[in-house]
Amino acid sequence: MRLILFAVVAIGLLIGAIAVYMRVAPMPPEIWHLTPAEVTPPDSPNYVLLIAEDAPRFAGTVDGIAARLDEIARGDGARLIAGSVSEGHITYVQRSRLMGYPDAISVQVHPTDEAGQVAIDIFSRSRFGHSDMGVNAARVERWLSQLGS
């Protein structure tokens, strides 16, 4: 009986330690600040990558669109970890509300061939797990929807 109780407590402590680690796991910029157009898509389905012809386009300037997107991202709870609005290449970390699982979102705003148009390359991905249950896709859709309104 004591052995079973010990095993249950040990497993509970292990699960708790893993949950705490995921909540406070560092997101080093040198690893997570990527240029979306240069990314090789991961094997897992827990990401969204919009580049080239899939990159959304908006009327405006690189500075203006990057500043508005930064405002939207921060308003949604994302925290800047690398890059800058002025260069149009930014990486954020956003953690899930309940468990604090981190996602990295790298964005590059750049001019297109059309005058007055910019494209947004975006790579939103989970640090942990295989499936994100649509969290990254929902975030990207939410940010781009707000940007377009």
Side-chain angles (χ1 to χ4, degrees), residues 19-49:
V20 167
Y21 175 74
M22 287 182 176
R23 182 175 270 298
V24 299
M27 297 290 287
E30 61 273 11
I31 294 172
W32 296 99
H33 186 53
L34 302 175
T35 302
E38 298 173 1
V39 168
T40 300
D43 293 331
S44 62
N46 61 353
Y47 74 95
V48 171
L49 179 60

PDB file of all heavy atoms in Angstrom, residues 19-49:
ATOM      1  N   ALA A  19       4.659  20.538 -15.701  1.00  0.00           N
ATOM      2  CA  ALA A  19       3.733  21.657 -15.929  1.00  0.00           C
ATOM      3  C   ALA A  19       4.379  22.986 -15.553  1.00  0.00           C
ATOM      4  O   ALA A  19       4.229  23.977 -16.280  1.00  0.00           O
ATOM      5  CB  ALA A  19       2.444  21.436 -15.139  1.00  0.00           C
ATOM      6  N   VAL A  20       5.105  23.022 -14.458  1.00  0.00           N
ATOM      7  CA  VAL A  20       5.792  24.256 -14.044  1.00  0.00           C
ATOM      8  C   VAL A  20       6.860  24.619 -15.073  1.00  0.00           C
ATOM      9  O   VAL A  20       6.987  25.778 -15.468  1.00  0.00           O
ATOM     10  CB  VAL A  20       6.397  24.111 -12.630  1.00  0.00           C
ATOM     11  CG1 VAL A  20       7.365  25.249 -12.330  1.00  0.00           C
ATOM     12  CG2 VAL A  20       5.290  24.065 -11.586  1.00  0.00           C
ATOM     13  N   TYR A  21       7.632  23.634 -15.523  1.00  0.00           N
ATOM     14  CA  TYR A  21       8.675  23.917 -16.510  1.00  0.00           C
ATOM     15  C   TYR A  21       8.073  24.508 -17.786  1.00  0.00           C
ATOM     16  O   TYR A  21       8.586  25.485 -18.328  1.00  0.00           O
ATOM     17  CB  TYR A  21       9.482  22.658 -16.862  1.00  0.00           C
ATOM     18  CG  TYR A  21      10.469  22.940 -17.962  1.00  0.00           C
ATOM     19  CD1 TYR A  21      11.620  23.672 -17.711  1.00  0.00           C
ATOM     20  CD2 TYR A  21      10.228  22.528 -19.271  1.00  0.00           C
ATOM     21  CE1 TYR A  21      12.511  23.976 -18.732  1.00  0.00           C
ATOM     22  CE2 TYR A  21      11.109  22.824 -20.295  1.00  0.00           C
ATOM     23  CZ  TYR A  21      12.245  23.549 -20.017  1.00  0.00           C
ATOM     24  OH  TYR A  21      13.117  23.859 -21.029  1.00  0.00           O
ATOM     25  N   MET A  22       6.992  23.934 -18.272  1.00  0.00           N
ATOM     26  CA  MET A  22       6.371  24.440 -19.493  1.00  0.00           C
ATOM     27  C   MET A  22       5.883  25.873 -19.306  1.00  0.00           C
ATOM     28  O   MET A  22       5.930  26.678 -20.221  1.00  0.00           O
ATOM     29  CB  MET A  22       5.222  23.538 -19.931  1.00  0.00           C
ATOM     30  CG  MET A  22       5.689  22.235 -20.505  1.00  0.00           C
ATOM     31  SD  MET A  22       4.269  21.277 -21.038  1.00  0.00           S
ATOM     32  CE  MET A  22       5.065  19.883 -21.777  1.00  0.00           C
ATOM     33  N   ARG A  23       5.424  26.202 -18.116  1.00  0.00           N
ATOM     34  CA  ARG A  23       4.923  27.541 -17.825  1.00  0.00           C
ATOM     35  C   ARG A  23       6.039  28.579 -17.800  1.00  0.00           C
ATOM     36  O   ARG A  23       5.824  29.725 -18.175  1.00  0.00           O
ATOM     37  CB  ARG A  23       4.181  27.542 -16.494  1.00  0.00           C
ATOM     38  CG  ARG A  23       3.582  28.879 -16.132  1.00  0.00           C
ATOM     39  CD  ARG A  23       2.756  28.820 -14.886  1.00  0.00           C
ATOM     40  NE  ARG A  23       1.372  28.516 -15.027  1.00  0.00           N
ATOM     41  CZ  ARG A  23       0.474  29.230 -15.688  1.00  0.00           C
ATOM     42  NH1 ARG A  23       0.834  30.277 -16.348  1.00  0.00           N
ATOM     43  NH2 ARG A  23      -0.780  28.884 -15.714  1.00  0.00           N
ATOM     44  N   VAL A  24       7.224  28.188 -17.363  1.00  0.00           N
ATOM     45  CA  VAL A  24       8.324  29.152 -17.212  1.00  0.00           C
ATOM     46  C   VAL A  24       9.461  28.907 -18.201  1.00  0.00           C
ATOM     47  O   VAL A  24      10.495  29.561 -18.116  1.00  0.00           O
ATOM     48  CB  VAL A  24       8.866  29.160 -15.765  1.00  0.00           C
ATOM     49  CG1 VAL A  24       7.782  29.556 -14.781  1.00  0.00           C
ATOM     50  CG2 VAL A  24       9.472  27.817 -15.393  1.00  0.00           C
ATOM     51  N   ALA A  25       9.291  27.992 -19.118  1.00  0.00           N
ATOM     52  CA  ALA A  25      10.361  27.647 -20.064  1.00  0.00           C
ATOM     53  C   ALA A  25      10.852  28.889 -20.793  1.00  0.00           C
ATOM     54  O   ALA A  25      10.051  29.671 -21.312  1.00  0.00           O
ATOM     55  CB  ALA A  25       9.854  26.623 -21.068  1.00  0.00           C
ATOM     56  N   PRO A  26      12.158  29.072 -20.841  1.00  0.00           N
ATOM     57  CA  PRO A  26      12.695  30.233 -21.552  1.00  0.00           C
ATOM     58  C   PRO A  26      12.486  30.097 -23.062  1.00  0.00           C
ATOM     59  O   PRO A  26      12.390  28.995 -23.590  1.00  0.00           O
ATOM     60  CB  PRO A  26      14.179  30.214 -21.196  1.00  0.00           C
ATOM     61  CG  PRO A  26      14.473  28.800 -20.835  1.00  0.00           C
ATOM     62  CD  PRO A  26      13.209  28.237 -20.264  1.00  0.00           C
ATOM     63  N   MET A  27      12.415  31.224 -23.725  1.00  0.00           N
ATOM     64  CA  MET A  27      12.261  31.275 -25.187  1.00  0.00           C
ATOM     65  C   MET A  27      13.410  32.123 -25.734  1.00  0.00           C
ATOM     66  O   MET A  27      13.234  33.295 -26.059  1.00  0.00           O
ATOM     67  CB  MET A  27      10.904  31.877 -25.555  1.00  0.00           C
ATOM     68  CG  MET A  27       9.701  31.085 -25.086  1.00  0.00           C
ATOM     69  SD  MET A  27       9.465  29.537 -25.960  1.00  0.00           S
ATOM     70  CE  MET A  27       8.885  30.119 -27.541  1.00  0.00           C
ATOM     71  N   PRO A  28      14.605  31.546 -25.831  1.00  0.00           N
ATOM     72  CA  PRO A  28      15.778  32.314 -26.261  1.00  0.00           C
ATOM     73  C   PRO A  28      15.609  32.871 -27.678  1.00  0.00           C
ATOM     74  O   PRO A  28      15.317  32.122 -28.613  1.00  0.00           O
ATOM     75  CB  PRO A  28      16.927  31.310 -26.215  1.00  0.00           C
ATOM     76  CG  PRO A  28      16.401  30.107 -25.507  1.00  0.00           C
ATOM     77  CD  PRO A  28      14.918  30.149 -25.559  1.00  0.00           C
ATOM     78  N   PRO A  29      15.795  34.175 -27.840  1.00  0.00           N
ATOM     79  CA  PRO A  29      15.625  34.791 -29.161  1.00  0.00           C
ATOM     80  C   PRO A  29      16.509  34.179 -30.234  1.00  0.00           C
ATOM     81  O   PRO A  29      16.089  34.067 -31.390  1.00  0.00           O
ATOM     82  CB  PRO A  29      16.003  36.260 -28.928  1.00  0.00           C
ATOM     83  CG  PRO A  29      15.851  36.469 -27.474  1.00  0.00           C
ATOM     84  CD  PRO A  29      16.108  35.158 -26.811  1.00  0.00           C
ATOM     85  N   GLU A  30      17.706  33.750 -29.872  1.00  0.00           N
ATOM     86  CA  GLU A  30      18.609  33.194 -30.882  1.00  0.00           C
ATOM     87  C   GLU A  30      18.077  31.892 -31.475  1.00  0.00           C
ATOM     88  O   GLU A  30      18.487  31.478 -32.563  1.00  0.00           O
ATOM     89  CB  GLU A  30      20.028  32.995 -30.327  1.00  0.00           C
ATOM     90  CG  GLU A  30      20.133  32.047 -29.166  1.00  0.00           C
ATOM     91  CD  GLU A  30      19.902  32.693 -27.794  1.00  0.00           C
ATOM     92  OE1 GLU A  30      19.459  33.847 -27.709  1.00  0.00           O
ATOM     93  OE2 GLU A  30      20.157  31.993 -26.793  1.00  0.00           O
ATOM     94  N   ILE A  31      17.141  31.262 -30.814  1.00  0.00           N
ATOM     95  CA  ILE A  31      16.521  30.039 -31.326  1.00  0.00           C
ATOM     96  C   ILE A  31      15.188  30.335 -32.014  1.00  0.00           C
ATOM     97  O   ILE A  31      14.872  29.764 -33.055  1.00  0.00           O
ATOM     98  CB  ILE A  31      16.308  29.018 -30.185  1.00  0.00           C
ATOM     99  CG1 ILE A  31      17.649  28.548 -29.640  1.00  0.00           C
ATOM    100  CG2 ILE A  31      15.456  27.836 -30.650  1.00  0.00           C
ATOM    101  CD1 ILE A  31      17.552  27.697 -28.400  1.00  0.00           C
ATOM    102  N   TRP A  32      14.402  31.232 -31.460  1.00  0.00           N
ATOM    103  CA  TRP A  32      13.015  31.427 -31.894  1.00  0.00           C
ATOM    104  C   TRP A  32      12.804  32.573 -32.876  1.00  0.00           C
ATOM    105  O   TRP A  32      11.768  32.639 -33.526  1.00  0.00           O
ATOM    106  CB  TRP A  32      12.117  31.584 -30.665  1.00  0.00           C
ATOM    107  CG  TRP A  32      12.131  30.325 -29.872  1.00  0.00           C
ATOM    108  CD1 TRP A  32      12.875  30.054 -28.752  1.00  0.00           C
ATOM    109  CD2 TRP A  32      11.433  29.123 -30.171  1.00  0.00           C
ATOM    110  NE1 TRP A  32      12.667  28.764 -28.343  1.00  0.00           N
ATOM    111  CE2 TRP A  32      11.780  28.164 -29.185  1.00  0.00           C
ATOM    112  CE3 TRP A  32      10.537  28.750 -31.171  1.00  0.00           C
ATOM    113  CZ2 TRP A  32      11.272  26.875 -29.181  1.00  0.00           C
ATOM    114  CZ3 TRP A  32      10.022  27.468 -31.153  1.00  0.00           C
ATOM    115  CH2 TRP A  32      10.396  26.551 -30.170  1.00  0.00           C
ATOM    116  N   HIS A  33      13.749  33.510 -32.983  1.00  0.00           N
ATOM    117  CA  HIS A  33      13.592  34.642 -33.902  1.00  0.00           C
ATOM    118  C   HIS A  33      14.024  34.210 -35.301  1.00  0.00           C
ATOM    119  O   HIS A  33      15.201  34.225 -35.648  1.00  0.00           O
ATOM    120  CB  HIS A  33      14.422  35.836 -33.412  1.00  0.00           C
ATOM    121  CG  HIS A  33      14.224  37.080 -34.206  1.00  0.00           C
ATOM    122  ND1 HIS A  33      12.976  37.627 -34.455  1.00  0.00           N
ATOM    123  CD2 HIS A  33      15.109  37.908 -34.802  1.00  0.00           C
ATOM    124  CE1 HIS A  33      13.123  38.730 -35.162  1.00  0.00           C
ATOM    125  NE2 HIS A  33      14.412  38.922 -35.386  1.00  0.00           N
ATOM    126  N   LEU A  34      13.057  33.794 -36.097  1.00  0.00           N
ATOM    127  CA  LEU A  34      13.322  33.260 -37.427  1.00  0.00           C
ATOM    128  C   LEU A  34      12.711  34.149 -38.498  1.00  0.00           C
ATOM    129  O   LEU A  34      11.759  34.885 -38.254  1.00  0.00           O
ATOM    130  CB  LEU A  34      12.735  31.852 -37.556  1.00  0.00           C
ATOM    131  CG  LEU A  34      13.227  30.810 -36.548  1.00  0.00           C
ATOM    132  CD1 LEU A  34      12.468  29.510 -36.723  1.00  0.00           C
ATOM    133  CD2 LEU A  34      14.719  30.602 -36.674  1.00  0.00           C
ATOM    134  N   THR A  35      13.245  34.050 -39.682  1.00  0.00           N
ATOM    135  CA  THR A  35      12.670  34.706 -40.847  1.00  0.00           C
ATOM    136  C   THR A  35      11.700  33.711 -41.474  1.00  0.00           C
ATOM    137  O   THR A  35      12.130  32.658 -41.967  1.00  0.00           O
ATOM    138  CB  THR A  35      13.774  35.093 -41.855  1.00  0.00           C
ATOM    139  OG1 THR A  35      14.708  35.945 -41.188  1.00  0.00           O
ATOM    140  CG2 THR A  35      13.189  35.781 -43.067  1.00  0.00           C
ATOM    141  N   PRO A  36      10.390  33.998 -41.432  1.00  0.00           N
ATOM    142  CA  PRO A  36       9.414  33.010 -41.905  1.00  0.00           C
ATOM    143  C   PRO A  36       9.694  32.451 -43.295  1.00  0.00           C
ATOM    144  O   PRO A  36       9.515  31.255 -43.532  1.00  0.00           O
ATOM    145  CB  PRO A  36       8.095  33.783 -41.863  1.00  0.00           C
ATOM    146  CG  PRO A  36       8.296  34.780 -40.765  1.00  0.00           C
ATOM    147  CD  PRO A  36       9.745  35.202 -40.889  1.00  0.00           C
ATOM    148  N   ALA A  37      10.162  33.280 -44.217  1.00  0.00           N
ATOM    149  CA  ALA A  37      10.396  32.820 -45.590  1.00  0.00           C
ATOM    150  C   ALA A  37      11.541  31.812 -45.688  1.00  0.00           C
ATOM    151  O   ALA A  37      11.662  31.112 -46.686  1.00  0.00           O
ATOM    152  CB  ALA A  37      10.675  34.008 -46.496  1.00  0.00           C
ATOM    153  N   GLU A  38      12.355  31.708 -44.651  1.00  0.00           N
ATOM    154  CA  GLU A  38      13.498  30.795 -44.668  1.00  0.00           C
ATOM    155  C   GLU A  38      13.275  29.526 -43.846  1.00  0.00           C
ATOM    156  O   GLU A  38      14.179  28.722 -43.682  1.00  0.00           O
ATOM    157  CB  GLU A  38      14.741  31.531 -44.150  1.00  0.00           C
ATOM    158  CG  GLU A  38      15.132  32.708 -45.018  1.00  0.00           C
ATOM    159  CD  GLU A  38      16.249  33.545 -44.418  1.00  0.00           C
ATOM    160  OE1 GLU A  38      16.744  33.207 -43.318  1.00  0.00           O
ATOM    161  OE2 GLU A  38      16.633  34.535 -45.056  1.00  0.00           O
ATOM    162  N   VAL A  39      12.068  29.349 -43.350  1.00  0.00           N
ATOM    163  CA  VAL A  39      11.748  28.235 -42.453  1.00  0.00           C
ATOM    164  C   VAL A  39      11.445  26.969 -43.239  1.00  0.00           C
ATOM    165  O   VAL A  39      10.771  27.014 -44.270  1.00  0.00           O
ATOM    166  CB  VAL A  39      10.525  28.608 -41.579  1.00  0.00           C
ATOM    167  CG1 VAL A  39       9.967  27.404 -40.851  1.00  0.00           C
ATOM    168  CG2 VAL A  39      10.895  29.702 -40.601  1.00  0.00           C
ATOM    169  N   THR A  40      11.938  25.863 -42.729  1.00  0.00           N
ATOM    170  CA  THR A  40      11.515  24.557 -43.210  1.00  0.00           C
ATOM    171  C   THR A  40      10.344  24.142 -42.311  1.00  0.00           C
ATOM    172  O   THR A  40      10.500  24.072 -41.095  1.00  0.00           O
ATOM    173  CB  THR A  40      12.652  23.522 -43.081  1.00  0.00           C
ATOM    174  OG1 THR A  40      13.752  23.969 -43.865  1.00  0.00           O
ATOM    175  CG2 THR A  40      12.184  22.151 -43.541  1.00  0.00           C
ATOM    176  N   PRO A  41       9.174  23.889 -42.886  1.00  0.00           N
ATOM    177  CA  PRO A  41       8.022  23.548 -42.048  1.00  0.00           C
ATOM    178  C   PRO A  41       8.290  22.324 -41.171  1.00  0.00           C
ATOM    179  O   PRO A  41       8.906  21.355 -41.617  1.00  0.00           O
ATOM    180  CB  PRO A  41       6.914  23.245 -43.062  1.00  0.00           C
ATOM    181  CG  PRO A  41       7.333  23.975 -44.293  1.00  0.00           C
ATOM    182  CD  PRO A  41       8.833  23.921 -44.300  1.00  0.00           C
ATOM    183  N   PRO A  42       7.834  22.379 -39.917  1.00  0.00           N
ATOM    184  CA  PRO A  42       8.010  21.235 -39.015  1.00  0.00           C
ATOM    185  C   PRO A  42       7.198  20.025 -39.473  1.00  0.00           C
ATOM    186  O   PRO A  42       6.280  20.144 -40.281  1.00  0.00           O
ATOM    187  CB  PRO A  42       7.487  21.742 -37.669  1.00  0.00           C
ATOM    188  CG  PRO A  42       7.176  23.177 -37.836  1.00  0.00           C
ATOM    189  CD  PRO A  42       7.183  23.501 -39.278  1.00  0.00           C
ATOM    190  N   ASP A  43       7.539  18.867 -38.915  1.00  0.00           N
ATOM    191  CA  ASP A  43       6.792  17.639 -39.215  1.00  0.00           C
ATOM    192  C   ASP A  43       5.463  17.575 -38.468  1.00  0.00           C
ATOM    193  O   ASP A  43       4.557  16.857 -38.875  1.00  0.00           O
ATOM    194  CB  ASP A  43       7.628  16.408 -38.847  1.00  0.00           C
ATOM    195  CG  ASP A  43       8.848  16.256 -39.743  1.00  0.00           C
ATOM    196  OD1 ASP A  43       8.791  16.693 -40.912  1.00  0.00           O
ATOM    197  OD2 ASP A  43       9.861  15.721 -39.269  1.00  0.00           O
ATOM    198  N   SER A  44       5.352  18.294 -37.365  1.00  0.00           N
ATOM    199  CA  SER A  44       4.126  18.261 -36.564  1.00  0.00           C
ATOM    200  C   SER A  44       3.123  19.279 -37.101  1.00  0.00           C
ATOM    201  O   SER A  44       3.497  20.237 -37.780  1.00  0.00           O
ATOM    202  CB  SER A  44       4.456  18.571 -35.105  1.00  0.00           C
ATOM    203  OG  SER A  44       4.997  19.867 -34.999  1.00  0.00           O
ATOM    204  N   PRO A  45       1.840  19.088 -36.777  1.00  0.00           N
ATOM    205  CA  PRO A  45       0.810  20.001 -37.284  1.00  0.00           C
ATOM    206  C   PRO A  45       0.564  21.215 -36.387  1.00  0.00           C
ATOM    207  O   PRO A  45      -0.425  21.907 -36.568  1.00  0.00           O
ATOM    208  CB  PRO A  45      -0.431  19.099 -37.321  1.00  0.00           C
ATOM    209  CG  PRO A  45      -0.232  18.168 -36.177  1.00  0.00           C
ATOM    210  CD  PRO A  45       1.264  17.901 -36.137  1.00  0.00           C
ATOM    211  N   ASN A  46       1.458  21.497 -35.453  1.00  0.00           N
ATOM    212  CA  ASN A  46       1.197  22.559 -34.470  1.00  0.00           C
ATOM    213  C   ASN A  46       1.804  23.905 -34.885  1.00  0.00           C
ATOM    214  O   ASN A  46       2.433  24.586 -34.091  1.00  0.00           O
ATOM    215  CB  ASN A  46       1.693  22.145 -33.087  1.00  0.00           C
ATOM    216  CG  ASN A  46       3.185  21.880 -33.042  1.00  0.00           C
ATOM    217  OD1 ASN A  46       3.857  21.879 -34.055  1.00  0.00           O
ATOM    218  ND2 ASN A  46       3.691  21.669 -31.840  1.00  0.00           N
ATOM    219  N   TYR A  47       1.582  24.298 -36.132  1.00  0.00           N
ATOM    220  CA  TYR A  47       2.116  25.564 -36.619  1.00  0.00           C
ATOM    221  C   TYR A  47       1.256  26.112 -37.752  1.00  0.00           C
ATOM    222  O   TYR A  47       0.437  25.411 -38.338  1.00  0.00           O
ATOM    223  CB  TYR A  47       3.549  25.381 -37.131  1.00  0.00           C
ATOM    224  CG  TYR A  47       3.620  24.679 -38.461  1.00  0.00           C
ATOM    225  CD1 TYR A  47       3.686  25.401 -39.652  1.00  0.00           C
ATOM    226  CD2 TYR A  47       3.593  23.290 -38.549  1.00  0.00           C
ATOM    227  CE1 TYR A  47       3.723  24.756 -40.872  1.00  0.00           C
ATOM    228  CE2 TYR A  47       3.636  22.647 -39.768  1.00  0.00           C
ATOM    229  CZ  TYR A  47       3.703  23.384 -40.927  1.00  0.00           C
ATOM    230  OH  TYR A  47       3.737  22.750 -42.131  1.00  0.00           O
ATOM    231  N   VAL A  48       1.472  27.387 -38.047  1.00  0.00           N
ATOM    232  CA  VAL A  48       0.918  28.041 -39.223  1.00  0.00           C
ATOM    233  C   VAL A  48       2.070  28.773 -39.880  1.00  0.00           C
ATOM    234  O   VAL A  48       2.826  29.481 -39.213  1.00  0.00           O
ATOM    235  CB  VAL A  48      -0.192  29.048 -38.845  1.00  0.00           C
ATOM    236  CG1 VAL A  48      -0.598  29.883 -40.040  1.00  0.00           C
ATOM    237  CG2 VAL A  48      -1.382  28.340 -38.255  1.00  0.00           C
ATOM    238  N   LEU A  49       2.226  28.614 -41.187  1.00  0.00           N
ATOM    239  CA  LEU A  49       3.270  29.289 -41.943  1.00  0.00           C
ATOM    240  C   LEU A  49       2.638  29.910 -43.181  1.00  0.00           C
ATOM    241  O   LEU A  49       2.134  29.198 -44.054  1.00  0.00           O
ATOM    242  CB  LEU A  49       4.376  28.305 -42.332  1.00  0.00           C
ATOM    243  CG  LEU A  49       5.535  28.857 -43.152  1.00  0.00           C
ATOM    244  CD1 LEU A  49       6.271  29.966 -42.402  1.00  0.00           C
ATOM    245  CD2 LEU A  49       6.499  27.731 -43.529  1.00  0.00           C
TER     246      LEU A  49
END
